[in-house]
Amino acid sequence: MSRARTDVAVAVLAKAPIPGFAKTRLIPALGAEGAAALQARLIERAVETAAAIGPVTLWVTPDEKHPLFRKLSERTTLARQPEGDLGARMLAAVAATRGPVLVTGTDCPALTPDHLRAAAGALRDGIDVVVIPVEDGGYAMIGMKEPHAGIFTGMTWSAPTVMAETRRRLVRLGLSWREPARLWDLDRPEDLDRLKATGLAAILSSP
C-alpha cells in the first residue's frame, strides 16, 4: 500500500478527570469538581475530534480504571502512559504506532478535525513532522511519520520556549516540517472567557 493511502493514527494523551488531579490551574475559577468535570468534557471532545480522521489510541494516566476511560474504550484503544516527562510519554505514543501518527492532548478545544486532516495530509505528502503551535509557546499537536527521539528528550516542558526549541531541533536534525495552524490552550481561568467568546461555551455546560 502506498504512503498516500496509509491511515494516519491519532494518539490522545489524557489525564483522568479526578478532582484535584486534572485541570488544577482552573480550580480557583471552577472548584476541584468543576475542573474535573470540564476535563471529562475536554477528553470526550478530543476523542471525537480524533476519531473523525483515523484510529485512536487514548493514552491515559494514572490508569484505565476511571469510568470515562472504560466508556471510551468502546471506540478507542486504551494504553497507559509510561513514567517520565511529557516528552517520554509522547515518544512512547509515537513509537507504539506503526506508520504515521498525530499526538495531541485534551487542552485545546479549538482543535478541529480539519486541523488534523491538514496535518495528516502533510505527513502523506512526505513531510517528516507537522506541528500545531499554541499561543503560550508550546504546541497542541505533533505528528510524525516515524519516531524522532531528538525532538522530545531533554526538553524543558510547560515553558514558553518549547515551540522555539522544537524548531531549532527540527533544523538541527534536518527534518522537514509544517505548521498548518496556530491555536490556543485552555489552561488558566482567563481562558474560560475566551472559550465563551469563540463559540465553545457549550463545553462548560455539556452534561
Side-chain angles (χ1 to χ4, degrees):
M1 181 179 290
S2 68
R3 175 67 70 185
R5 294 180 180 272
T6 299
D7 282 342
V8 176
V10 187
V12 178
L13 274 60
K15 183 180 287 189
I18 300 169
F21 180 68
K23 305 306 289 180
T24 54
R25 284 185 284 180
L26 293 178
I27 289 176
L30 300 176
E33 295 283 348
L38 176 58
Q39 171 69 357
R41 293 190 287 270
L42 290 170
I43 293 169
E44 290 186 292
R45 181 180 177 86
V47 168
E48 181 180 359
T49 298
I53 75 139
V56 180
T57 300
L58 185 60
W59 289 79
V60 304
T61 186
D63 55 45
E64 303 91 338
K65 297 176 183 177
H66 194 279
L68 177 61
F69 293 154
R70 293 201 297 268
K71 172 186 170 184
L72 292 174
S73 69
E74 297 174 1
R75 52 195 175 114
T76 68
T77 299
L78 293 185
R80 189 177 300 186
Q81 294 182 32
E83 297 295 326
D85 65 7
L86 178 59
R89 288 178 273 137
M90 288 195 289
L91 180 59
V94 176
T97 307
R98 296 183 62 183
V101 58
L102 309 177
V103 181
T104 186
T106 61
D107 293 339
C108 186
L111 187 71
T112 68
D114 283 343
H115 292 126
L116 296 184
R117 290 187 190 102
L123 296 180
R124 291 191 184 102
D125 287 344
I127 299 298
D128 295 314
V129 177
V130 58
V131 194
I132 295 182
V134 288
E135 294 174 0
D136 65 6
Y139 52 79
M141 187 227 71
I142 187 165
M144 297 180 174
K145 294 190 296 181
E146 58 188 36
H148 295 285
I151 300 298
F152 300 119
T153 56
M155 178 76 78
T156 300
W157 299 102
S158 300
T161 55
V162 169
M163 189 62 218
E165 175 60 20
T166 298
R167 293 187 186 103
R168 283 192 287 270
R169 294 181 181 206
L170 288 164
V171 171
R172 187 167 66 245
L173 293 168
L175 299 172
S176 60
W177 84 92
R178 287 183 187 168
E179 300 175 23
R182 183 170 180 261
L183 302 174
W184 55 279
D185 272 343
L186 177 58
D187 283 328
R188 300 164 298 175
E190 53 265 38
D191 295 328
L192 297 170
D193 291 332
R194 188 168 189 176
L195 193 71
K196 300 171 186 176
T198 52
L200 295 169
I203 295 173
L204 292 173
S205 56
S206 298

